[in-house]
Amino acid sequence: MEYTGSQYIGEFVDGRMEGEAEYILPTETKYVGEMKDGMFHGQGTLYFPSGSRFDAIWEKGLVVKVSLSSPIWTRLERSLQAIMTVETASITRSRG
């Protein structure tokens, strides 16, 4: 399911978010990267309103590897909250 107030720009496969996409949360945090089965999956970056970013490899909505080239966050506590929100938002259900 999509998080209420979020915006998804990308394709759907069998009613689920899939492929290269942008996912913008109501908090103005934006994910740009790969989606699979409605979740962050593959190479992707979170962009935070503070200007910070988080580059990672995702598997089924969870971070499995952080990019060493990812800039240091300027507001760690806010970024961690955004990641928890993103993980909650990336859960999906079939449409139909």
Side-chain angles (χ1 to χ4, degrees):
M1 91 183 147
E2 292 181 46
Y3 190 68
T4 303
S6 63
Q7 179 182 12
Y8 174 73
I9 303 166
E11 295 185 29
F12 288 90
V13 174
D14 295 328
R16 295 192 175 172
M17 299 175 280
E18 188 114 358
E20 290 291 324
E22 285 188 30
Y23 192 90
I24 305 165
L25 293 159
T27 60
E28 298 181 19
T29 298
K30 177 170 65 171
Y31 172 81
V32 177
E34 300 172 55
M35 303 279 287
K36 182 177 180 183
D37 199 27
M39 295 178 276
F40 302 167
H41 192 86
Q43 185 84 25
T45 301
L46 286 173
Y47 295 92
F48 298 97
S50 66
S52 297
R53 62 186 262 185
F54 180 74
D55 302 310
I57 296 177
W58 305 76
E59 188 172 305
K60 297 181 181 178
L62 301 174
V63 173
V64 293
K65 184 177 181 183
V66 176
S67 172
L68 295 177
S69 64
S70 187
I72 297 172
W73 292 344
T74 57
R75 295 185 182 201
L76 182 59
E77 65 285 344
R78 179 177 278 180
S79 299
L80 290 175
Q81 177 63 40
I83 288 175
M84 291 188 319
T85 302
V86 167
E87 287 176 355
T88 302
S90 66
I91 299 169
T92 188
R93 63 181 162 88
S94 61
R95 296 178 183 199

